[in-house]
Amino acid sequence: AIGGNQVIFSRGRASNRCYFFLEGNKLGLESTYGANSTSAVESTGSIPAGAWTHAAVVLDTSQVANADKIKLYVGGSLVTSMTLSYQGIFSQDVDLKIGSTTFTGSEFFGGWMDEVILFDQPLTSTQINQLATATGSLKLTKVPSLDIPGAVAHWSMDGGTANDLIASLNGR
């Protein structure tokens, strides 16, 4: 098993935040809105150490009135989801941080990442599966041969850099 709580990405501040993490050999999502409203889910299957694993998180604000739904996919398949009892955590003008928390700057991810893509719309299960099973490079706004528009940021992580290939939202 892989040890510790390692944040893959986070968005928000101390009281209003969401993060996607690896804990042991399971992927999880946790969202907090205000002092007393926290939701969390964890994948049921194990993530193998030392192997590439495709993971995707989808935020869908159109499913439930006054709530956001977050879905977690592993290997192109939906493994868990949660409906938040609040709405708008991602509408705030706050940082997105890849590889650690935005609110403490700790809990660093200790693995490798490749092809991190941010879309401006929720992807369907079919689109997530297409991304998970794609081969080759995914370096365009419209992912080649997959017909998945809407990518607004894409970090290929090639050569040890965090340069965005679409909107110049480069990492540091």
Side-chain angles (χ1 to χ4, degrees), residues 10-32:
S10 63
R11 180 139 195 242
R13 298 185 179 93
S15 61
N16 297 331
R17 66 180 183 262
C18 183
Y19 65 101
F20 175 42
F21 60 91
L22 177 68
E23 184 171 25
N25 60 357
K26 303 220 182 263
L27 291 171
L29 293 165
E30 182 174 303
S31 181
T32 301

Side-chain angles (χ1 to χ4, degrees), residues 10 20 28 38 43 54 86 89 107 125 135 138 145 152 156:
S10 63
F20 175 42
T38 298
S43 64
H54 181 273
Y86 43 85
I89 194 166
E107 301 182 71
S125 295
T135 58
L138 304 174
S145 76
V152 293
S156 70

Side-chain angles (χ1 to χ4, degrees), residues 132-153:
T133 57
T135 58
S137 179
L138 304 174
K139 297 189 186 307
L140 299 173
T141 302
K142 185 171 181 178
V143 179
S145 76
L146 299 180
D147 195 29
I148 302 175
V152 293

Side-chain angles (χ1 to χ4, degrees), residues 4 13 18 23 39-41 43 45 47-48 56 60 62 72 81 85 106 122-123 138 141-142 144 147 152 171:
R13 298 185 179 93
C18 183
E23 184 171 25
S39 300
V41 292
S43 64
I47 303 301
D60 192 344
S62 67
L72 172 60
S81 66
S85 58
S106 62
L123 299 185
L138 304 174
T141 302
K142 185 171 181 178
D147 195 29
V152 293

Side-chain angles (χ1 to χ4, degrees), residues 37 45 63 72 99 112 119 163:
S37 190
Q63 295 290 311
L72 172 60
W112 292 82
F119 290 87
N163 294 331

Side-chain angles (χ1 to χ4, degrees), residues 92-104:
Q92 303 169 16
D93 185 19
V94 294
D95 289 342
L96 168 72
K97 190 172 263 191
I98 299 170
S100 72
T101 62
T102 54
F103 40 94
T104 65

Side-chain angles (χ1 to χ4, degrees), residues 6-7 44 46 52 59 68 75 86 97 110 133-134 138 148 155:
Q6 302 177 51
V7 175
T44 53
S46 296
W52 286 105
L59 172 70
D68 292 340
Y86 43 85
K97 190 172 263 191
T133 57
L138 304 174
I148 302 175
W155 300 273

